[in-house]
Amino acid sequence: MKAFSQPSGPRMAQPLHQRSRRSALNVPLACATALAGAAAWIAGSAAYPHLTGAMPRPVLMALLFTLLFALTAAAIMAVGRAMGTFEGNLVTRRCSRPGTVGVLVAGGIALALLAALFEWVYELGVEAERHDPTSYVFVVDDSASMEGNDPGQSRFAAISTVLAEADGSFPFMVYRFSNEPHVLRDMAPASEGIPSMEGAHDGGTALKAALNRVLDDHDAGRWDGGAHPKVVLLSDGVPTDLPAFDTLSAEMRRFVQAGIGVSTVGLGEADDALMQRIARATGGVYVKSPDAAGLTQAMAAAAVFGADRDLLSARCNASPDALYAAMRVVFLFLLGALLGVLCAIAYGSHDAAPLILAASAVQALLGAVGMEVGVQALALPAELLWLALWVLLALTIALVPELAARMRQRGMRAPLGGSAPFISVRR
């Protein structure tokens, strides 16, 4: 009997459920979510300096993660609608976009509560780690711009006010700097008196040289400020001796290693970002004074107050430090993993979910470890590491299901609402 042979013509079309689910990387989705992470960072970093003193840190952390989630979810759903990749609600297994929005809102609330809880736990013990300063080192800008910003030399008069309530045995030291730093008063008890100090109002703003002079003098034994000396740095402009891409990381690391806290005061057009970075990295605070009238209060606040601790900034004096390092990595990883679950729900594709979840877990781990190592071991700017973390957490790596791709080619829309049944095709 003659064997049956397949027709030599084109193959018969297979039913949809028998076709392979070949997929392609969703590049628009990856770009949109990365941009969403960057946008969340821009908004968050702009608001952070103003909100840190206005609300508890756990509430602030909840708001920052909620903003990241909201922008990321909106980007995913916008791209999904445009490309027709949404296939259904992964939780209720119904083809309902309104139902997915409800699930995402509930997930966003859970993310915010978890961020607040983790931040609260991370802050435990911070009050016990704060130490009263054992000495002050005032480092005062005396550049030419100070003639316009502080013509009455309130910056030097403020030193007396800061020391008014200090014991006579409390030691302090004063540097002034313009093109180069100079010592106006050696480290000595306040009981020896406060000399008359006047600025010259000339030259540039050699801030880096001033910080290195303070450190070098300390290392050489020229001054000893006790167990917890505190530097109060005042400047009114952008440093003139800071090369491009120099973030003062080496200097900040030296201050931390020497156990010297640095609080900063910005007058007028000071480099707020740099001054805040110096303070956050060394356990100090940044105080802004728009004009000379507020200098006394600003310098007093900088001298007295110490920094809080949060998941997105440098950590000083934490004990045991290894415990807080592990806590930051674990907490950020868990928050990133939860955000990845919500991203998969917003995308609404069963086939794409495993890749989104796996990629999100890896990205969250990389971001968490990078934040910890970068700010603590390498003293890199916390703002840049925060940006990298936010982009990694928001970045959604997913595939475009073949069903949606073919529908787009035919000019059809993938099922987005309740008008079509939920389609799930197994490999």
Side-chain angles (χ1 to χ4, degrees), residues 15-317:
L16 180 62
H17 69 276
Q18 294 180 2
R19 297 176 190 171
S20 64
R21 295 282 288 175
R22 295 183 300 273
S23 302
L25 183 66
N26 195 332
V27 176
L29 179 70
C31 294
T33 51
L35 289 175
W41 173 80
I42 292 173
S45 60
Y48 182 93
H50 307 287
L51 298 179
T52 47
M55 63 178 61
R57 296 272 177 147
V59 176
L60 174 59
M61 205 56 51
L63 289 177
L64 293 175
F65 272 92
T66 299
L67 176 63
L68 174 64
F69 157 72
L71 293 182
T72 303
I76 293 172
M77 299 191 79
V79 172
R81 178 174 290 275
M83 300 186 66
T85 55
F86 182 82
E87 296 175 350
N89 191 316
L90 301 186
V91 178
T92 63
R93 300 187 65 83
R94 293 181 181 178
C95 191
S96 169
R97 187 175 290 274
T100 299
V101 173
V103 172
L104 290 176
V105 170
I109 294 173
L111 180 68
L113 293 175
L114 200 61
L117 173 63
F118 286 166
E119 175 61 27
W120 177 78
V121 173
Y122 188 70
E123 288 185 36
L124 291 178
V126 70
E127 292 293 336
E129 294 162 6
R130 290 178 180 159
H131 303 281
D132 292 333
T134 53
S135 63
Y136 288 138
V137 179
F138 296 96
V139 184
V140 182
D141 189 340
D142 195 26
S143 59
S145 59
M146 276 293 184
E147 186 172 8
N149 287 324
D150 184 26
Q153 310 216 25
S154 299
R155 60 195 184 277
F156 294 110
I159 295 175
S160 299
T161 304
V162 173
L163 295 168
E165 297 183 4
D167 184 85
S169 62
F170 188 86
F172 76 98
M173 184 176 186
V174 183
Y175 289 85
R176 60 170 287 269
F177 68 95
S178 51
N179 286 331
E180 58 184 23
H182 300 277
V183 176
L184 290 182
R185 184 189 193 271
D186 284 312
M187 183 69 75
S191 59
E192 295 187 11
I194 301 176
S196 176
M197 292 176 284
E198 293 185 358
H201 296 153
D202 64 356
T205 307
L207 189 146
K208 179 175 181 176
L211 292 177
N212 277 302
R213 172 69 183 274
V214 172
L215 289 164
D216 292 343
D217 285 353
H218 177 266
D219 292 345
R222 178 167 184 176
W223 63 270
D224 181 3
H228 306 291
K230 186 166 191 177
V231 170
V232 179
L233 170 67
L234 165 69
S235 181
D236 74 334
V238 177
T240 55
D241 66 339
L242 199 61
F245 307 111
D246 189 340
T247 60
L248 294 176
S249 297
E251 287 75 15
M252 288 185 280
R253 187 162 51 247
R254 288 180 65 191
F255 276 112
V256 172
Q257 292 171 347
I260 305 172
V262 183
S263 285
T264 55
V265 179
L267 173 63
E269 300 299 322
D271 188 340
D272 295 334
L274 177 63
M275 299 289 274
Q276 186 179 69
R277 187 183 311 135
I278 293 171
R280 288 177 64 187
T282 57
V285 295
Y286 174 54
V287 183
K288 178 71 174 179
S289 178
D291 51 46
L295 263 182
T296 299
Q297 184 178 1
M299 290 183 68
V304 172
F305 293 113
D308 289 323
R309 177 170 62 230
D310 63 50
L311 292 168
L312 301 176
S313 64
R315 180 182 62 255
C316 295
N317 303 323

